[in-house]
């Protein structure tokens, strides 16, 4: 089964716009899923921080996009 979709209902307008732009891209199903997972992880980390709980891990959000020319790497990176 697929994991539940993250709730972006409480997200800022900017975050909603980025997800809307991402959804308009053709294909890139895995990229879209990973971006949603990352968003959920960041939101979960903020909740834990607000409750004064220790972080689960020291996560770095740097990414490296690799692939053939014309596959949308730059478009996704700019989002």
């Amino acid at each position: 089964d697929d994991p539940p979709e993250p709730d972006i209902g409480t997200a800022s307008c900017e975050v909603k716009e980025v997800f809307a732009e991402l959804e308009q891209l053709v294909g890139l199903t895995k990229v879209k899923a990973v971006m949603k997972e990352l968003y959920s992880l960041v939101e979960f980390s903020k909740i834990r921080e607000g409750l004064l709980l220790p972080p689960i891990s020291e996560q770095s959000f740097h990414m490296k996009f690799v692939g053939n020319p014309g596959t949308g790497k730059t478009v996704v990176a700019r989002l």
Side-chain angles (χ1 to χ4, degrees), residues 12-79:
S12 69
C13 290
E14 183 179 7
V15 171
K16 289 178 184 178
E17 288 174 14
V18 169
F19 273 111
E21 287 181 51
L22 186 62
E23 285 303 320
Q24 289 179 1
L25 297 176
V26 176
L28 302 174
T29 305
K30 183 152 178 123
V31 171
K32 293 173 185 177
V34 169
M35 295 307 292
K36 290 174 183 175
E37 286 178 30
L38 285 172
Y39 173 76
S40 295
L41 178 61
V42 168
E43 289 301 304
F44 182 69
S45 295
K46 287 180 184 178
I47 292 169
R48 287 185 59 85
E49 184 179 312
L51 296 171
L52 304 177
L53 295 171
I56 293 175
S57 68
E58 295 298 323
Q59 177 70 37
S60 172
F61 294 105
H62 294 272
M63 300 179 124
K64 181 177 181 180
F65 294 96
V66 295
N68 293 330
T71 55
K73 298 178 301 291
T74 303
V75 172
V76 172
R78 288 182 179 155
L79 290 176

